[in-house]
Amino acid sequence: MAGAGYDCDVLVIGLGPVGALLGTLLAQSDLSTIAVEKDSEVYPLPRAAHFDHEVMRIFQAAGVAEAVLPHTRPAAAYEFRSASGEILLSFGSPSSTASGWAQGYMFHQPAVENALRARLDSLAPGSIRLGQTFSRLHQDPDGVTVELANGTSLRARYVVGCDGGRSPVREALGITLDDLQFDEPWLVIDVSHGPEASLPKVNLQICDPARPTTCVLMGPGRHRWEFMLLPGETAEDVLGDDFILPLLESWNTGPITIERRAVYRFHGLVARSWRQGRVLLAGDSAHQTPPFAGQGMCAGLRDAMNLAWKLKAILSDGADPDLLDTYQQEREPHVRTYIELAIGMGRVVCTLDPEAARQRDALFIAQRAAGVPALPPPTPQPFAAGCLMPGSSAAGTLFPQGIADGVRLDDVLSDGAWLIGDVTGSVPPGVQALPLESEVIAPFAQGLRQWLTAQDAAAVLVRPDRYIFGTGRGPDLCAAYGEALGL
């Protein structure tokens, strides 16, 4: 669809999981997409270790859920323990979720990235350009021209920087970061192991002031430890076997093989602007979080899902480009909720003063015994602003995915928006009208009817990212959706 004078509709800079997902979703929408990546292959070692149920639903939407599943295992309980082993905090997994998938998954990141790239390449052969480095960009009212380090250039209607925490795209735009005042260095050790290894079956934060430590499951056959650096320690001090092996031996793991050792700074940062004209930021280029809530990659993949449908609405359905202003409106509060949760968890873990740790332990044990949560629940609030129907109580929440006879709702409906229930009146472009009596929705009709009754609504309009635009009467929903998109 790119048209004369354009190499593509959307140019994605960076092909980590966020860029690969965004490219895939755009290609599924028949938008012309090019993704450039400075490296020549997928980074061979894992960085993220966890994703949640909503992300698995996003993988389902991208057509890679079945390819991803063999490289995952359901997330276990998540416990914060004192140095003596007492449980301070415990986060379990609910039996059901709105997405129709398990609450969370531990996974092997390179396998997921390879699945996404394979899917993108199958949808848009030749769209992936490896070994090409972003240099600079220039935008005008009609598009963006990106110059690459090899002297070539590409022109697109929109550009999305998915190029990581250091983000040359963000730097080129002159966008600064809000520092949320958390910055701690940690040693990260990833290992592989066989079935004879003896490893914890739950994910752990050991809140030991002598050395705060993380121990978590990853994909099948892999495990991760993270050890906080103490004052005065440097990366050079902690990366050798003489430092690492005694730490691991204290866990009595049995046979393991170290695959990666690295020092990272865990910090919370948010870009002050995620859009400048026709250039947008997503993933780590827009926000970075400490890992304690397991939501870093998840946040970036939610960005991609949010952006993909809005770019499609603009480029294919004629929506107003100002719809992109709702991207940061919706995503930033969601991101900040999780970053603040992760920082709160990190401050629990990173206490080095023994007396402060003793007081913390006593308080948390007492709160746990009394059933009082010491931290807010890890669930963000609904979108407070953005592309939503005013006055609808359900707007901005994730629409539940029903399962009937082993089939998931999303798999039998279109990739676009859905109007379910009362479908009288004209339907805006990109919206699938679905009366409860329709053949395609019949297996799910009982559950959907119960849900609408609970909402006291005749219909629901579900956005392409599976968040609810609003509930009410069909004609009112369609009129409000068309107005929100500028159609």
Side-chain angles (χ1 to χ4, degrees):
M1 164 184 173
Y6 296 95
D7 296 289
C8 59
D9 293 315
V10 182
L11 176 60
V12 177
I13 309 294
L15 200 61
V18 176
L21 173 68
L22 178 60
T24 297
L25 294 171
L26 294 171
Q28 284 187 170
S29 298
D30 295 324
L31 296 178
S32 172
T33 306
I34 294 174
V36 300
E37 165 59 45
K38 62 182 177 58
D39 294 325
S40 57
E41 59 185 19
V42 168
Y43 186 69
L45 298 172
R47 287 156 290 179
H50 166 270
F51 64 81
D52 62 23
H53 63 95
E54 184 183 351
V55 167
M56 184 57 95
R57 188 178 188 180
I58 291 171
F59 287 151
Q60 177 191 353
V64 297
E66 295 306 316
V68 164
L69 271 173
H71 307 286
T72 71
R73 48 181 162 175
Y78 186 26
E79 296 180 354
F80 287 57
R81 296 181 182 176
S82 69
S84 61
E86 295 173 288
I87 296 178
L88 307 178
L89 299 169
S90 181
F91 301 92
S93 295
S95 57
S96 63
T97 68
S99 298
W101 292 94
Q103 171 68 16
Y105 298 83
M106 312 308 292
F107 78 109
H108 186 53
Q109 183 174 341
V112 170
E113 290 194 41
N114 279 317
L116 285 166
R117 290 192 187 187
R119 175 67 171 159
L120 173 56
D121 188 57
S122 71
L123 293 167
S127 61
I128 296 174
R129 312 282 179 88
L130 302 177
Q132 298 193 12
T133 302
F134 169 85
S135 180
R136 59 181 64 86
L137 62 80
H138 170 74
Q139 60 176 315
D140 55 63
D142 299 316
V144 187
T145 300
V146 169
E147 296 180 28
L148 303 174
N150 63 8
T152 63
S153 64
L154 294 166
R155 182 160 172 80
R157 298 179 190 275
Y158 289 92
V159 169
V160 184
C162 305
D163 52 342
R166 293 183 176 88
S167 186
V169 172
R170 187 186 66 233
E171 292 295 319
L173 298 174
I175 294 173
T176 57
L177 296 164
D178 280 342
D179 188 336
L180 303 188
Q181 302 302 308
F182 186 91
D183 188 356
E184 299 289 352
W186 283 67
L187 169 66
V188 178
I189 305 296
D190 289 339
V191 308
S192 60
H193 61 86
E196 66 276 16
S198 176
L199 294 163
K201 304 302 183 186
V202 298
N203 296 320
L204 297 170
Q205 296 289 348
I206 308 301
C207 305
D208 183 354
R211 173 83 66 184
T213 300
T214 301
C215 177
V216 296
L217 292 71
M218 300 186 71
R222 289 181 166 85
H223 220 86
R224 169 174 290 174
W225 280 266
E226 296 166 350
F227 301 98
M228 184 176 171
L229 270 63
L230 302 180
E233 291 179 338
T234 66
E236 293 74 17
D237 296 332
V238 302
L239 289 171
D241 284 351
D242 57 341
F243 185 89
I244 292 171
L245 294 182
L247 292 175
L248 295 181
E249 287 166 1
S250 69
W251 286 79
N252 298 314
T253 63
I256 59 175
T257 300
I258 295 175
E259 290 192 328
R260 182 175 71 132
R261 59 187 78 194
V263 171
Y264 285 91
R265 300 200 75 87
F266 295 168
H267 47 216
L269 302 168
V270 180
R272 292 182 178 173
S273 175
W274 300 12
R275 178 192 179 197
Q276 195 175 100
R278 291 176 173 267
V279 184
L280 301 109
L281 304 176
D284 284 355
S285 65
H287 44 77
Q288 297 158 55
T289 179
F292 303 104
Q295 285 291 321
M297 187 190 75
C298 296
L301 297 177
R302 288 186 177 97
D303 292 348
M305 190 69 169
N306 191 292
L307 264 183
W309 80 265
K310 291 174 181 176
L311 286 167
K312 192 263 184 184
I314 292 164
L315 292 168
S316 298
D317 301 331
D320 191 320
D322 287 345
L323 176 63
L324 291 174
D325 288 339
T326 67
Y327 165 56
Q328 185 173 357
Q329 281 183 327
E330 293 175 354
R331 291 293 307 126
E332 183 176 358
H334 197 279
V335 162
R336 284 183 179 267
T337 295
Y338 274 125
I339 294 178
E340 289 165 5
L341 174 64
I343 288 174
M345 290 176 165
R347 288 183 173 142
V348 170
V349 176
C350 296
T351 301
L352 297 179
D353 179 79
E355 178 57 26
R358 186 193 65 76
Q359 295 177 12
R360 172 205 61 201
D361 295 352
L363 174 63
F364 279 27
I365 290 169
Q367 289 180 319
R368 178 174 165 78
V372 178
L375 290 172
T379 303
Q381 295 299 308
F383 297 146
C387 183
L388 307 169
M389 184 176 183
S392 174
S393 60
T397 61
L398 193 63
F399 186 67
Q401 176 173 215
I403 302 175
D405 298 324
V407 177
R408 290 181 166 84
L409 177 67
D410 296 9
D411 287 336
V412 300
L413 302 184
S414 72
D415 291 338
W418 309 329
L419 178 65
I420 299 174
D422 171 19
V423 298
T424 56
S426 61
V427 177
V431 178
Q432 182 181 13
L434 296 159
L436 294 177
E437 300 77 18
S438 63
E439 182 177 353
V440 68
I441 211 169
F444 307 92
Q446 182 178 353
L448 291 170
R449 188 174 287 109
Q450 291 173 347
W451 188 89
L452 288 169
T453 299
Q455 302 296 321
D456 192 24
V460 58
L461 201 153
V462 183
R463 307 184 329 181
D465 61 355
R466 304 306 160 232
Y467 278 83
I468 296 169
F469 172 76
T471 55
R473 296 176 57 251
D476 296 338
L477 288 167
C478 290
Y481 190 70
E483 182 178 355
L485 270 62
L487 296 171

